[in-house]
Amino acid sequence: QAKRQGKNTFQLYFEEINSRALEYLALERDLHRALERQEFVLHYQPQVNLRTYEVVGVEALLRWNHPQLGQIAPGQFIPLAEETELICPIGEWVLREACYQQRRWQRLGLPPIHIAVNLSANQFKQPDLVHQILLILEETGIDPNYLEIEITESAAMQNVESTIMTLNQLRDVGIQIAMDDFGTGYSSLNAIKHFPLNTLKIDQSFVREVCQDPNDAAIARTVIALGQGLGLQTLAEGVECKDQLRFLRMLGCDRAQGHLFSKSMSPSEFATLMLNRVSFFSCQSIQPHKQF
Ligand code: C2E
Ligand code: MG
Ligand code: MG
Ligand code: MG
């Protein structure tokens, strides 16, 4: 009996693995076709200035509208795209689409805001990345000062020398550079010192319990102080409640994005928001913040 059960368990296990592998292969096959079938869309999440509560930027976030599976979040296909090197054409599409969107918004009469685009590690390693970005800027005619590139510490640290060179080239044409998910990777302060950054993005894992966990509070405080010391803007990710907002403002954080203000939205939803001159002032609260 036990033996039979064992075999059944193994059988089930095997079938499970097998069907996962098949799913994975199917997803990879679909991913290859997704670009030409125009299944990708960008959603945009507002970034808010914490002094004025104005929207000062948006982050472009990739979505895949899969014909059978529905909308798929980047966490589920970016790793696959990285493995198959599809990330480069996909990433190039993201850059171009975000810049065109910026231009469409400008033509609608929206105030100028910067648009932040995530670059993956393999995309960042492409030798012709700077050239590619320059061509897209030329093609779309947008002001490079309003393009912000987001790179993660792990991407930046793979080859510090070439990162410094690439980032300097981008900086020289006026592009802004943000370090994404700051504090979750392995960058050394020495490397940070040499990167021509504009913004440190405080990862949402530190923001989540910033009001409850003294360690997270200490990390947030330190990153903001580091930013101030180095002359960089700080932006808190994943701000979901007023307490977090109040606390981060008290620490001197410059900008924030998160569900408290807005989830990511379609280009037309964002245009409506901006044309109605929405201010997120009401997101703050008059209650005094907790001290510890
Ligand atoms: P990220 O760059 O750190 O983006 C922030 C993620 O946090 C987004 O998830 C966003 O929807 C989510 N988020 C924003 N506010 C809140 C909040 O208040 N609470 C919570 N719980 N989450 C919030 P998303 O869109 O699923 O993207 C996940 C990651 O996928 C991104 O993390 C980024 O690393 C990557 N990604 C997204 N778009 C692209 C892209 O075009 N290219 C590349 N290479 N990576 C991308
Ligand atoms: Mg990002
Ligand atoms: Mg992030
Ligand atoms: Mg993050």
Side-chain angles (χ1 to χ4, degrees):
Q1 178 69 27
K3 218 175 184 178
R4 238 186 89 193
Q5 213 156 17
K7 190 176 168 190
N8 284 344
T9 311
F10 175 77
Q11 191 67 34
L12 280 175
Y13 179 70
F14 179 77
E15 278 166 13
E16 163 94 4
I17 299 262
N18 202 27
S19 77
R20 288 246 184 103
L22 287 174
E23 259 172 44
Y24 195 75
L25 285 177
L27 206 62
E28 181 179 334
R29 181 202 61 210
D30 295 347
L31 194 59
H32 274 279
R33 302 173 182 163
L35 260 186
E36 60 185 74
R37 295 187 179 183
Q38 306 188 333
E39 291 169 355
F40 292 115
V41 290
L42 293 181
H43 279 195
Y44 297 89
Q45 186 176 39
Q47 299 178 334
V48 176
N49 177 315
L50 293 188
R51 269 176 300 273
T52 62
Y53 288 97
E54 284 170 329
V55 176
V56 288
V58 280
E59 179 174 6
L61 295 162
L62 185 59
R63 301 288 178 262
W64 179 12
N65 288 324
H66 188 283
Q68 282 86 43
L69 301 172
Q71 196 164 83
I72 307 182
Q76 288 176 272
F77 66 88
I78 294 272
L80 183 61
E82 285 263 12
E83 278 172 40
T84 54
E85 298 188 356
L86 279 168
I87 194 65
C88 292
I90 294 174
E92 187 180 350
W93 178 85
V94 171
L95 272 163
R96 179 173 286 106
E97 175 59 22
C99 291
Y100 271 114
Q101 188 56 59
Q102 166 84 304
R103 192 169 85 171
R104 288 192 285 266
W105 280 330
Q106 298 280 285
R107 290 183 173 175
L108 275 177
L110 264 61
I113 46 151
H114 77 243
I115 193 155
V117 176
N118 293 285
L119 287 197
S120 81
N122 282 327
Q123 199 184 352
F124 191 66
K125 273 195 288 197
Q126 296 171 100
D128 66 339
L129 177 73
V130 175
H131 181 65
Q132 187 188 104
I133 295 178
L134 291 179
L135 284 179
I136 290 173
L137 286 172
E138 202 178 81
E139 177 185 331
T140 58
I142 74 159
D143 181 346
N145 286 293
Y146 287 109
L147 176 63
E148 184 167 74
I149 294 297
E150 294 193 6
I151 53 161
T152 60
E153 289 170 288
S154 47
M157 293 304 291
Q158 284 188 4
N159 182 341
V160 174
E161 285 304 307
S162 83
T163 296
I164 294 172
M165 253 172 46
T166 305
L167 294 184
N168 277 333
Q169 287 174 299
L170 295 174
R171 193 259 328 261
D172 288 347
V173 295
I175 294 169
Q176 311 284 303
I177 299 149
M179 185 63 86
D180 203 359
D181 306 341
F182 186 66
T184 62
Y186 305 96
S187 53
S188 70
L189 294 176
N190 187 49
I192 289 292
K193 183 180 84 176
H194 287 109
F195 296 153
L197 302 174
N198 303 90
T199 308
L200 295 179
K201 295 191 78 173
I202 305 168
D203 190 65
Q204 55 190 62
S205 62
F206 304 122
V207 171
R208 200 167 299 127
E209 295 186 0
V210 77
C211 301
Q212 289 86 40
D213 184 336
N215 293 332
D216 287 336
I219 290 168
R221 184 181 290 115
T222 304
V223 173
I224 291 165
L226 178 68
Q228 287 169 343
L230 295 174
L232 309 178
Q233 295 261 314
T234 47
L235 189 158
E237 295 188 288
V239 175
E240 293 181 350
C241 69
K242 291 179 180 181
D243 285 337
Q244 293 166 338
L245 171 64
R246 242 178 279 125
F247 193 73
L248 290 159
R249 283 192 82 216
M250 179 193 71
L251 297 178
C253 186
D254 301 296
R255 284 186 279 155
Q257 63 185 91
H259 296 167
L260 174 65
F261 302 112
S262 172
K263 296 195 172 180
S264 62
M265 49 177 107
S266 70
S268 63
E269 287 170 324
F270 181 72
T272 306
L273 179 98
M274 293 300 281
L275 292 171
N276 289 330
R277 297 180 176 278
V278 170
S279 153
F280 287 103
F281 191 72
S282 59
C283 286
Q284 69 175 343
S285 152
I286 48 169
Q287 289 159 25
H289 53 253
K290 260 185 263 167
Q291 288 269 20
F292 53 81

